[in-house]
Amino acid sequence: MKLAPLLTSIALVGFFTVWDAPLKVINPSLVQASAAEEMSVAQKLDLLTKSKGQIGSGDQLRRFFFGDLEPISIQAGGAGHVVNLYNKANNVTFSYCAYYDVIVAIKKGRVTKFEPSEVK
């Protein structure tokens, strides 16, 4: 029996087993990324509400509700037009300006048209 393949297998298993902990110490953003996945829907909505109007809030929206958003209407606002995206699973509508990648309004329920003052 050859000892080298056995030792190599044991070394690889040990390496992959302990790799996760040091990696999180070296790169703490991995811990934050996993924390974002464990957030409740209410926490995600609260975070999106706080970041509403800030560039990049659209990225958060896509990350939190990837594949769950349905475009239901377009209306004037933002930098020309905004798209109203409905999340059926949570019964929430987001008004999204793609030009600036910004969420401009959030409301409970299926909203096809926001007030013009909300989406300016």
Side-chain angles (χ1 to χ4, degrees), residues 3-104:
L3 192 58
L6 181 65
L7 290 176
T8 303
S9 299
I10 291 171
L12 285 174
V13 169
F15 175 74
F16 287 118
T17 303
V18 298
W19 174 254
D20 192 34
L23 185 62
K24 288 182 180 178
V25 171
I26 294 169
N27 191 354
S29 66
L30 292 175
V31 176
Q32 292 173 351
S34 65
E37 294 170 358
E38 296 171 5
M39 293 172 57
S40 71
V41 173
Q43 290 172 324
K44 290 176 183 178
L45 291 173
D46 189 41
L47 186 61
L48 287 171
T49 303
K50 289 178 185 176
S51 65
K52 181 174 65 171
Q54 297 177 5
I55 293 176
S57 58
D59 186 41
Q60 283 181 327
L61 176 67
R62 287 186 298 277
R63 191 172 341 120
F64 291 158
F65 301 111
F66 181 76
D68 292 336
L69 299 171
E70 171 189 342
I72 56 173
S73 65
I74 298 174
Q75 73 180 74
H81 289 86
V82 294
V83 178
N84 296 328
L85 303 168
Y86 179 66
N87 184 333
K88 187 176 182 179
N90 303 311
N91 193 28
V92 177
T93 303
F94 303 94
S95 186
Y96 169 72
C97 175
Y99 186 79
Y100 290 111
D101 193 29
V102 175
I103 298 170
V104 291

